[in-house]
Structures are given as structure tokens and as C-alpha cells.
Amino acid sequence: MRQHSLLLQNHTHRGAMAAALVLLLPFFLPTLFTPLGHAMPSVFSEWNAPKPRHSRLLKSALQRETSDAEVTELWKPLADQQWKRCDLSDQKSAALPKKSQGYIQVFLDGGLNQQRMGICDAVAVAKILNATLVIPYLEINPVWQDSSTFMDIFNVDRFIDALKDDISIVKELPAEYYWSTREYYATAIRANRVKTAPVHASANWYIENVLPVIQSYGIAAIAPFSHRLAFENMPEDIQRLRCKVNFQALVFVPHIRALGEALVGRLRSSTSTNEGERNNYIRQFNGAKDKRGIGKFVVLHLRFDKDMAAHSACDFGGGKAEKLALAKYRQVIWQGRVLNSQFTDEELRSQGRCPLTPEEIGLLLAALGFDNSTRLYLASHKVYGGEARISTLRSLFPLMEDKKSLASSEERDQIKGKASLLAAVDYYVSMHSDIFISASPGNMHNAVVGHRTYENKKTIRPNMALLGQLFLNKSLTWPEFQAAVIKGHKNRQGQLRIRKSTQSIYTYPAPDCMCNA
Ligand SMILES: *[C@@H]1O[C@H](CO)[C@@H](O)[C@H](O)[C@H]1NC(C)=O
Ligand SMILES: *[C@@H]1O[C@H](CO)[C@@H](O)[C@H](O)[C@H]1NC(C)=O
Ligand SMILES: *[C@@H]1O[C@H](CO)[C@@H](O)[C@H](O)[C@H]1NC(C)=O
């Protein structure tokens, strides 16, 4: 077993794990098991270029025309809603305890956005226990392989300062606790390591089970910690504190913000630093673009990787080779035990259980009225099928950009190969876009949707079930498709939804994080 996954192995507490999987299915499960996939020999050639699956709709979409009125409506910011962001900086939780109970250390799995939630929960747990928090340790994710630390990603001084009236935080443990390292917990069973925290544990669970550990050893190390603090029955001040961490205390380091800002600026001014064909495209379009949606852009978050494609068990139009490759992948990674594979592609689609392909998300955007002068920023890691799969989307939106096309090679060098920093830049650009749309639910989707709700920014939530059914109907004409799409997305543009008791405060920030206007 490679060094980096030792702690991850130790984490496998069966009960909690099983519960976590139930909660997180299907979007977490795929990445959890990917590392094995890297060793898998590629027996089948998967790169038969995937063909458009909806060529009839596509043909009409390519010739679409939208009126100025429609375009104006589309880009209009969200109207004020009943709930507004509160000034959380004024909201202090209970006073700092005179004396800290001891230290809390957490080790966080997952990608950037899952870790972000873990950080917020860690602050809340430290508050519940009157303990001092050590800056959370970010595990190296076996899929993303990024060793960036908290301080490499987030502005740590700002984090500590923003929360100074709420909890005490230290960057490092004092010398007497230097022994408390990741290696220490990875190599043996340790009495001060808490590994049985149930998924969505209550505040009392921490008081009953973790406080005694702190009192005995001076420090409690909690791992695993992802999704280990409940959303229901939590004191109001603890909820407010979680909001304050997520929406105010967590700010990316200056160079990530600067790069994000530069990309946003280029998207708004329609110049690219990259030379060549793309620039010519942009110049050609400038004339047409200036009239409508000028200086505005959409961020499309596209998570369409092999894990997700395989795990969904849907057919994505890559033909027999792709089908075999995905079935083989399911066999190797999950021994074929993938719930979705008991259903036909048609059944899965009509239930909205298939991630939208780049082609489908393109048709959705076109039907909603985005024309071919729309600035589209692709926030995406890797698309299964590569450019062949993206080309249909690009034909609908020739002004499509991403980190690679917009940033200079010097700029890219700062974040190259660092999945968390790349994700941070995408998060920043997503937060600053006029419109955000995500092709698949998951941690990034939830985090950005929640944060944009908090700032009352427009976010389109695809109606997966409706789209699944529409794409199945091969006799649907473009006007019928368009009318159904528009009708089905009227109330999915960022209208605020109130959190239900067990839902995440980070995805549904109202009412807990927001104030009644
Ligand atoms: C953009 O759409 C217009 C209107 O349908 C069309 O005339 C034009 O050729 C399109 N441009 C490209 C590059 O597809
Ligand atoms: C934490 O401190 C507050 C205020 O000082 C106190 O009311 C509360 O009981 C303490 N909680 C624990 C778990 O020590
Ligand atoms: C497909 O769409 C057409 C036109 O709206 C409709 O008449 C037909 O009932 C639909 N077919 C199915 C199977 O839903």
C-alpha cells in the first residue's frame, strides 16, 4: 500500500463507511475507488469518437436565433428575495472560554469542496467543546493526488482573524504535542484518535465521546471527519458559526484570487492571452457580441469523468467499444455491483439518473436562449472522451473558454498539476460569473450553489428527469423541446429554497445563514 493511503485505510470504519456511502451515493462512490482503475489495462479502444446522440435537435440548435428581449431576460440578475445575506461578522457566538479544554485535530478526506465543509464543521466542533482547533490537515486524495496544505489554498491569517472572537485556532501544535502527526496515527492504534464518529453525529455525541479524550490526553485527533456533524438539532449559534466560516472566513490565498480575478476580467473583456485560432474566433465575434450579453459569462461546471460515466451505467453514445470499456471498469472497480446496471438506459434516463453529456448540456443552454455569442467558461477537470465529446458543445458555443485557454503558461505553472488549486480557481470564477450551471450534482455543485444562494446570484439547476424524458423522445421538434425546457426551468434559476432539517446548511444557507429581508 502506498504511503499516502495509509491513513485512508485506517479510516475504514465499516459502520460509518457504509452509512456514508448510502448518503453520498452515487457521486462520491465513484471517486472513492478510482485509484484501482489507474492500474487497469485498457483492453478496448474507447476512443471511437462519440457521435452526437441528438443530431436532429442539434441541427436546429445550431441555427437558433433569439430575440434581444429573450437575451436581456436571460442575463438579468436575480430579483431580491425574501432572504438576504446577514452581516455575519457582527454575529459572535458565545464568548471564548477562559481556558481551552485542549486541542482538536482533524484529518480531511475528499477533494477541495468536501474538505471545505470539513473545515467548517471542525470549527463548529471546536466551539462545541471549547477546544482549540489546529489548522485542519488536508489528506492527499488518491484520485486528485494534490499535496497542497490548508495554507497553500486558504489565507490562514485571515481565517484565524475572522474567527478570533469565536474560537482559538493555532497553525501548529505546541512542542509538547509534536508527536501528534498524521504518521503517528497512520502507523498504530492510538488512544486519543477518535475514529468512530458517526455520520452526522450530534453536538452531544462530541461532548460525551470526544471531550473525555481531550481531557485525558490534551488532544483528540478525529479521522475520518467528513460529514461527521449533524445539520439538525444544532444550536443556532453553532449553525451561524458554520455559515461564518464557509461564507466569510474561508478565502483563497492571494495568488489564487489574483488568477481568478484575471480570468474573470478576460472573460468580461473577451480577450484571451492565448494566441492562434481561438483569438481569431474571438475577434470575429466581437462585433456581434457587443450588442448582447456584453461583458457577461456563464460558468458551466462539467463533471463527466470515467468513474461517473461507468457508475451511472448509462449509455453515452460512444458505441460498443465505450459500452464494453465502461462495463469492464464496473467489473474491475465494483465487481459489477452497481445498482444502476439493473436498469435499462431508457429507465435510467427517464428517472433523470444519467449525468448530462456535454452535448446535452449544450442543447439545454441553447434551448434556454443562450446564443452562439455567449461566453462560456468550462469549469471542469477532465472530460471522459476528451475533445471529441466536447466538440459538439463547442459547436454550439464557439466562445468556450477554460483555465487553459485563458491563462498564460506562466500563470498556469503556479497551479499546474495541483487539483485543489485548479478547483479553487474554478470555484472563484464560478462565484463571480453572471450565471452558473452544473451538469451533475456533487460536492462542487453543492458548494457553489449554496454560496451563490447566499449571495443571491443566478444559478440554473438542470431538471434531470425532465431532460432525460425529453431526450428519449426522438420525435420531439426543436420548438417543442425548447418550450418544454423553458417551462421546466422557470423556477430553477436560483429561487431560494429553504433548508429541510437534515439538509446541508452549506447547500441550503437559508434560513440559518441568512436574514429575513
Ligand atoms: C451564430 O448564429 C447565427 C444565427 O443563427 C448564425 O448566422 C451564425 O452563422 C452562427 N455563427 C457560428 C460561428 O456558428
Ligand atoms: C464551553 O464554555 C461555555 C461558556 O464558557 C460553557 O457554557 C459551556 O458549558 C462549555 N462547554 C463545554 C463542553 O465545556
Ligand atoms: C413525444 O413528443 C411528442 C410531441 O410533443 C408527443 O406527442 C409524444 O407523446 C411524445 N412521446 C412520448 C413517448 O412521450
Side-chain angles (χ1 to χ4, degrees), residues 97 101 128-130 207 211:
Q101 295 276 4
I128 289 167
L129 300 176
N130 291 334
I207 291 172
L211 194 55

Side-chain angles (χ1 to χ4, degrees), residues 53-54 57 349 356 359-361 363-364 466-474 476 481 485:
R53 303 190 81 210
H54 314 289
L57 291 178
R349 284 190 184 275
L356 297 172
E359 177 192 7
E360 288 168 341
I361 202 93
L363 290 170
L364 164 64
L466 170 74
L467 291 166
Q469 287 156 24
L470 295 177
F471 285 128
L472 278 173
N473 188 337
K474 298 298 174 196
L476 217 56
F481 175 75
V485 165

